[in-house]
Amino acid sequence: ALRSAVAAAMRLGAVLSALRPALPLLLGLSLGCSLSLLRASWSHGAAEERCVAPGPPAPPARGAPPEAAEGRPGPGHEDFRPRIVPYYRDSNKPYKKVLRTRYIQTELGFHERLFVAVLTSKATLNTLAVAVNKTVAHHFPRLLYFTGLRSAKVPHGMVLVAHGDERPIWLMYETMNYIHQHFGSDYDWFYIMQDDTYAQAEQVKALVTHLSINQDVYLGRAEEFIGGDEQARYCHGGFGYLLSRSLLLKLYPHLDSCRNEILSVRPDEWLGRCIIDFLGITCVSQLQGQHYHTYELAKNTEPEKEEEEEFQAALAVHPVSDMTLMYRLHKQFSRIQLDRVYQEIQDLQMQIRNLTALTPAGEAGVTWPVGINAPFLPKSRFEVISWDYFTEQHLFSCPDGSPKCELSGASKADVSEIIESALEQLNRLYQPLLRFSKRQLLNGYRRFDPTRGMEYTLDLLLEAATQKGHSHVLAKRVSLVRPLSKVEIIPMPYVTEATRVQLVLPLTVQDLNFVANFLDMFAMNTLDTHDNALLTLLFIYHPYDAQRVGQVDVFAGVKAMIGELEKRYAEVKIPWISVKTEVPSQVKLMDIVSKKHPVDTLFFLASVWTEINMEFLNRCRMNTISNWQVFFPVHFQEFNPALVYRGEQTASSNTDFLRDGHFDRHSFAEACFYNSDYMSARTKLAADILDRDEVLESMEVFDVFLHYSGLHLFRAVEPGLVQKYTLRSCNPRLSEELYHRCVLSNLEGLASRSHLAMALFEQEQANST
């Protein structure tokens, strides 16, 4: 027995010794399993697990919102809860690139705020409707005029929709149909008014910003039906009325029934009866704490003498009998609004002064003017904003770099306005004790501070007159600030990234060393990525080289490179055009290319030193709008590496890294524009120069659009458009201005001032030794 016990103990020791390396793993697994079981018992102990039999979903609890059922939003909440649409890719179908919208607003289905419809007629189209267009139309984001005329002549600057029937009820019916079909899914609010109504645009826009968009709103001046139900009200059309998008969507299916079943003489009563009968919604004059204030004008009313509170608070005024009265009302309400703004500014300034006294800085922390940002504080001498000196006749900081030029145009008007404003403020402060009049502007200084606006310092020679008639001449220094006003968003037509870009590359003999790098970048960033871009080359032959093209073609190497690219990318064709000229005028070259492409072609006029990438091509598409805007990017020019690095390791050529260079504002070689816009401007240029082709040698495409088109010229720095350093050859046969630009571009592209100073210092050190 003892022998068997010893044998068992030895076997147990052998097993333990074999399992000893695995003991930590076993202990860890057992401890983890124990903790997981313990945690599961805690989590399931708080609530019982229910088993639900398959079947229809249970109804929501009493008082729960409709969206509680099935976890989906109710019909009235589609504007508040996002709906995520999952993306499923079918593996059996070939992959197709998904083009997404450029703006989040478009992709999420956001709506514009307010649409305005003005009802007009044959008798008032050229009078009252024009007055409405000149007074308040530019304050609304979208405004259309509706009339029953068939072939009405549209006044300038107005968008007119003619229905072809002058019956009032038919005009209202067609107008509501048109608004629903064309704008029902784009706007949240619809404001209907007549052309004999003056509406305060800013007050109407402020009203809709305080109303909830998910309710059925029929808001205006509530009127009783003649002989009808006392509880039912319709909105008087003369004072305008507001409809919500949800109400318009519900009303649209019943418009045909309303046209056939409801008889009325007035269109506003007809619409009100339609809304009441089919939707059960009556007109209200106040909603959600917002009041729709109106004012009814009496005959022979003088707006300048109206001081009633009801008049000043009115959103809409009716009836307006003629154009003159409309303009007088606009002037009076503009004055009232301006007085309110000035009073609000004074109240805010007083609050700022009171609160600043409680801050650690005390009253010394109050900036001047109160409420305007403090002046910009430079962190180095390179950030100092310089002052421009001027007098009443001359400016000593000229755009062309000359030391002195005549003060004219907008600059002259700016100086005159500033002097008048300074005198007005001085007289406001010192009257009736003193009265100032200007003798002379001794010195004037101005600078633009991007944090606050335009700053002025004036040394004025003034004559001060007292109440007793005594006068004295004195010099006084005043400081003024023209602060930056409210930023205005200019409405732009919508464009997409799917537009094809046609690259145009002019090449001369001097550019042959850079063609290979350009084609490599083009193939890598556009052909490999399947970007929607094409390339056309312009071979510019000198007359001597053109005569010898049969024996020696200077562009034979480039044509061989193009052949290799076409073999590598079978679906790509790169055409070229041969041109013989001694003066490669940019306009003449563009004339040749323009005739060989459709009118809707988007051109990108490139240079051989440019590195093409998809990021810039997308901005070229977005910033160029047909019949609206052309884009002239300011490329980033690298400095001369021999001067910047002086034998050290050069920077990486990857565009993700910062490079040593500058934005070349003297170059206008790159441009994005549509062929139709160029052809229109070129036609006007041809009529102006009358077959004097030598004038084209002194012009660039930028000059054509600047002087002969009414388009927006968008010129901005473009970090995605990078050029390697090269010393460009400036053609002396071009105009003096173009040659001067080329020379300045070469000089400023050498290196920065610090790099040039270091190079001169090292050169002097080497010469001294």
Side-chain angles (χ1 to χ4, degrees), residues 303-459:
E304 296 80 7
K305 297 181 180 180
E306 292 287 343
E307 300 293 341
E308 300 179 22
E309 184 178 352
E310 183 182 359
F311 176 80
Q312 297 186 4
L315 275 75
V317 177
H318 174 80
V320 183
S321 57
D322 53 58
M323 298 176 60
T324 305
L325 183 57
M326 183 77 73
Y327 298 139
R328 292 170 63 188
L329 283 170
H330 184 64
K331 180 180 179 181
Q332 178 66 9
F333 278 109
S334 298
R335 185 189 64 81
I336 294 173
Q337 187 68 23
L338 192 61
D339 293 341
R340 290 175 182 170
V341 172
Y342 283 143
Q343 184 60 44
E344 185 178 356
I345 290 174
Q346 291 181 5
D347 296 341
L348 291 175
Q349 288 179 338
M350 183 60 68
Q351 295 178 18
I352 291 174
R353 290 192 185 96
N354 296 336
L355 292 176
T356 307
L358 304 177
T359 61
E363 295 183 358
V366 180
T367 60
W368 181 88
V370 179
I372 304 297
N373 294 332
F376 172 73
L377 296 178
K379 298 180 180 179
S380 66
R381 61 189 180 92
F382 299 105
E383 298 178 354
V384 176
I385 304 175
S386 61
W387 290 84
D388 298 333
Y389 179 76
F390 62 89
T391 62
E392 291 186 80
Q393 293 80 26
H394 296 91
L395 183 66
F396 293 83
S397 179
C398 305
D400 58 355
S402 58
K404 180 180 178 181
C405 57
E406 185 178 356
L407 193 64
S408 61
S411 294
K412 187 175 182 63
D414 177 57
V415 171
S416 301
E417 184 179 355
I418 285 300
I419 295 176
E420 292 178 3
S421 179
L423 286 175
E424 181 182 350
Q425 294 295 330
L426 287 173
N427 288 321
R428 182 180 299 177
L429 288 174
Y430 293 99
Q431 278 186 352
L433 299 178
L434 293 175
R435 175 70 182 178
F436 292 97
S437 59
K438 180 181 73 72
R439 281 285 190 90
Q440 184 185 355
L441 174 64
L442 300 176
N443 302 292
Y445 309 88
R446 68 179 181 182
R447 72 171 184 177
F448 178 72
D449 189 337
T451 61
R452 53 199 259 126
M454 187 69 77
E455 298 179 341
Y456 303 86
T457 299
L458 305 179
D459 293 331

Side-chain angles (χ1 to χ4, degrees), residues 100-121:
R100 300 187 62 182
T101 56
R102 182 69 174 179
Y103 303 105
I104 298 178
Q105 179 178 0
T106 305
E107 187 163 335
L108 295 183
F110 289 172
H111 306 135
E112 297 293 337
R113 176 67 64 178
L114 180 64
F115 173 85
V116 180
V118 181
L119 304 179
T120 183
S121 63

Side-chain angles (χ1 to χ4, degrees), residues 362-578:
E363 295 183 358
V366 180
T367 60
W368 181 88
V370 179
I372 304 297
N373 294 332
F376 172 73
L377 296 178
K379 298 180 180 179
S380 66
R381 61 189 180 92
F382 299 105
E383 298 178 354
V384 176
I385 304 175
S386 61
W387 290 84
D388 298 333
Y389 179 76
F390 62 89
T391 62
E392 291 186 80
Q393 293 80 26
H394 296 91
L395 183 66
F396 293 83
S397 179
C398 305
D400 58 355
S402 58
K404 180 180 178 181
C405 57
E406 185 178 356
L407 193 64
S408 61
S411 294
K412 187 175 182 63
D414 177 57
V415 171
S416 301
E417 184 179 355
I418 285 300
I419 295 176
E420 292 178 3
S421 179
L423 286 175
E424 181 182 350
Q425 294 295 330
L426 287 173
N427 288 321
R428 182 180 299 177
L429 288 174
Y430 293 99
Q431 278 186 352
L433 299 178
L434 293 175
R435 175 70 182 178
F436 292 97
S437 59
K438 180 181 73 72
R439 281 285 190 90
Q440 184 185 355
L441 174 64
L442 300 176
N443 302 292
Y445 309 88
R446 68 179 181 182
R447 72 171 184 177
F448 178 72
D449 189 337
T451 61
R452 53 199 259 126
M454 187 69 77
E455 298 179 341
Y456 303 86
T457 299
L458 305 179
D459 293 331
L460 296 172
L461 186 64
L462 304 171
E463 181 178 353
T466 63
Q467 290 178 318
K468 296 182 179 181
H470 302 290
S471 62
H472 180 69
V473 178
L474 73 159
K476 193 171 185 64
R477 168 167 285 191
V478 295
S479 298
L480 302 97
V481 176
R482 190 192 296 270
L484 293 173
S485 60
K486 182 180 179 181
V487 177
E488 179 182 0
I489 300 178
I490 301 176
M492 301 288 286
Y494 179 74
V495 292
T496 65
E497 295 181 357
T499 308
R500 173 176 293 177
V501 180
Q502 178 65 59
L503 280 75
V504 179
L505 180 65
L507 290 177
T508 61
V509 178
Q510 292 80 10
D511 304 330
L512 295 179
N513 295 331
F514 309 97
V515 179
N517 181 68
F518 177 89
L519 294 177
D520 289 341
M521 297 298 295
F522 175 77
M524 179 176 64
N525 294 327
T526 60
L527 300 182
D528 291 341
T529 59
H530 302 284
D531 193 87
N532 197 8
L534 301 177
L535 175 63
T536 298
L537 282 80
L538 284 173
F539 294 144
I540 305 173
Y541 286 89
H542 190 273
Y544 176 75
D545 296 328
Q547 294 176 359
R548 302 172 58 248
V549 71
Q551 294 79 23
V552 178
D553 187 357
V554 292
F555 293 106
V558 181
K559 295 176 181 178
M561 297 179 192
I562 295 174
E564 292 296 329
L565 281 179
E566 292 179 345
K567 290 180 181 179
R568 191 191 314 171
Y569 306 94
E571 71 281 359
V572 175
K573 297 297 180 182
I574 303 179
W576 69 73
I577 303 172
S578 299

Side-chain angles (χ1 to χ4, degrees), residues 759-769:
L760 289 175
F761 176 75
E762 292 179 355
Q763 184 178 4
E764 290 180 357
Q765 290 291 98
N767 294 336
S768 62
T769 56

